Amino acid sequence: MSLYRPPRTQSSEITPREVYLSRRSFMAGTAAGLAFAASGTALAAPLAATPSAYKVADKLTPKQDVTTYNNFYEFGVNKSDPAANSGDFKPTPWAIEVGGLVAKPQVIDLEKIMTEIPMEERVYRMRCVETWSMVIPWIGFPLSALLDRVEPLGSAKYVAFETVVRPAEMPGQSGFFQPLNWPYVEGLRLDEARHPLTILATGLYGETLPNQNGAPIRLVVPWKYGFKGVKSIVKITLTEKEPPTTWKNSGPSEYGFYANVNPAVDHPRWSQATERRIGEGDGLFGGRRVDTLPFNGYADEVAGLYAGMDLKKFY
Ligand code: MTE
């Protein structure tokens, strides 16, 4: 498992000195630090982030659980597979192609944009469609900040996302059994994408995003089921029509495009009324049961986006 992304040679030139020092303070100027950078040895690089108003008061899920109980089918279908099988994945350098219905299509260098857009820490409740939940301190920036740079055209109504395809580094993409079609794709309506709660995360618990959690950059939309949170994003495309999404493609009667957390709309095979808080109570596979809240507790902020829509139909 590699928690550390070595900086590229030009990092110190393009990064303001204070930011560079706070992010890399453990290694600044030392020969040992440079040796670590060159070898990519697993190290936790602290990320500088400004505090944000978006913090729920719920007890945090222990980092150990957040980083070992995952869904990331590119590395296998079991919860422990992503942590066990993602060690060879190389999240640096990283570029995201942003295009489609925009005035300024561009290829964005992640290391560069992370120094240009202020990073924030946000503590979000996360609810998986499989009825477990976690409370995670993310580090990231609003997706809207990235969208502003490409200037969406008036005709753009949706945002489509794509995960990287690298069978050589992602064993779930190369094995005999292929559980999904690759790339994993997701989408949001443009107003959902622009909502201030919607972020692109590059870290958690003050550190660079671990491979198993979607390194180096993944989507986080706290009022939707976890499968909307597409990981290791390489492409973002603004479209006029609703884009295809992986789980809706694989089981349209079970998973919809909207995927808003809704205790009143059951999954065809199980209830969504309650959830299991991972890491609380009886160990990893136990967990305290709590009631699931409409929009995962973010109704005040986001219910207005769906005014007049039948949420049983648009699940
Ligand atoms: N992104 C990709 N590329 N592949 C996946 O299999 N799984 C999704 C989502 N993003 C997945 C993905 C699902 S089902 C969930 S619940 C969340 O990632 C889990 O995120 P976590 O492991 O960081 O908790």
Side-chain angles (χ1 to χ4, degrees):
M1 168 170 70
S2 173
L3 298 182
Y4 174 63
R5 285 186 299 110
R8 296 159 74 197
T9 353
Q10 304 89 342
S11 270
S12 56
E13 288 149 34
I14 58 173
T15 310
R17 191 171 161 73
E18 322 76 79
V19 176
Y20 178 78
L21 289 179
S22 61
R23 286 176 64 195
R24 313 287 185 198
S25 53
F26 66 95
M27 53 175 275
T30 68
L34 292 174
F36 276 131
S39 70
T41 302
L43 279 179
L47 289 181
T50 53
S52 130
Y54 296 104
K55 289 195 176 186
V56 292
D58 307 33
K59 188 164 172 268
L60 296 181
T61 303
K63 185 170 133 192
Q64 174 69 14
D65 295 330
V66 173
T67 57
T68 56
Y69 192 81
N70 300 101
N71 272 336
F72 199 166
Y73 280 21
E74 285 84 339
F75 295 110
V77 297
N78 298 309
K79 303 292 177 245
S80 56
D81 286 344
N85 300 337
S86 61
D88 290 338
F89 183 69
K90 291 179 196 63
T92 181
W94 198 264
I96 307 175
E97 189 186 334
V98 192
L101 299 173
V102 300
K104 295 186 174 163
Q106 52 196 284
V107 175
I108 290 179
D109 177 88
L110 183 61
E111 185 86 11
K112 186 160 179 285
I113 200 165
M114 282 171 65
T115 64
E116 292 170 358
I117 298 180
M119 308 286 281
E120 296 172 27
E121 186 179 64
R122 307 208 170 179
V123 179
Y124 281 163
R125 259 181 239 112
M126 304 300 298
R127 171 64 154 78
C128 183
V129 74
E130 295 168 286
T131 78
W132 43 272
S133 63
M134 300 196 192
V135 180
I136 302 179
W138 297 107
I139 291 183
F141 56 88
L143 172 58
S144 63
L146 186 141
L147 294 174
D148 287 345
R149 298 194 158 213
V150 295
E151 298 177 14
L153 302 176
S155 52
K157 298 284 183 290
Y158 294 90
V159 185
F161 303 86
E162 233 181 84
T163 292
V164 73
V165 178
R166 284 191 196 166
E169 295 174 30
M170 302 176 122
Q173 287 181 334
S174 60
F176 175 71
F177 170 65
Q178 299 284 307
L180 295 170
N181 290 324
W182 315 115
Y184 190 103
V185 289
E186 258 305 336
L188 294 171
R189 231 170 44 194
L190 184 56
D191 57 346
E192 299 175 321
R194 281 199 176 287
H195 192 281
L197 279 169
T198 304
I199 58 169
L200 289 171
T202 57
L204 55 79
Y205 266 105
E207 293 168 8
T208 302
L209 203 59
N211 285 348
Q212 60 269 34
N213 291 90
I217 185 162
R218 57 90 57 84
L219 182 67
V220 175
V221 193
W223 73 93
K224 292 180 180 282
Y225 292 117
F227 67 84
K228 297 297 285 184
V230 50
K231 294 174 166 181
S232 308
I233 298 167
V234 287
K235 195 169 178 189
I236 298 179
T237 311
L238 284 279
T239 64
E240 190 170 3
K241 295 215 164 64
E242 184 183 294
T245 58
T246 287
W247 283 101
K248 186 178 172 189
N249 282 350
S250 97
S253 62
E254 304 198 353
Y255 308 100
F257 176 81
Y258 282 91
N260 293 318
V261 175
N262 191 342
V265 176
D266 289 337
H267 183 278
R269 290 183 281 136
W270 58 79
S271 161
Q272 294 290 10
T274 63
E275 65 201 56
R276 210 161 45 82
R277 275 285 155 88
I278 299 292
E280 289 185 27
D282 315 310
L284 197 56
F285 300 102
R288 186 165 60 95
R289 262 215 182 266
V290 295
D291 287 341
T292 292
L293 301 170
F295 298 104
N296 204 24
Y298 296 94
D300 286 351
E301 288 95 335
V302 301
L305 295 173
Y306 311 100
M309 282 175 68
D310 178 354
L311 297 177
K312 287 202 158 67
K313 183 168 172 222
F314 297 100
Y315 55 93

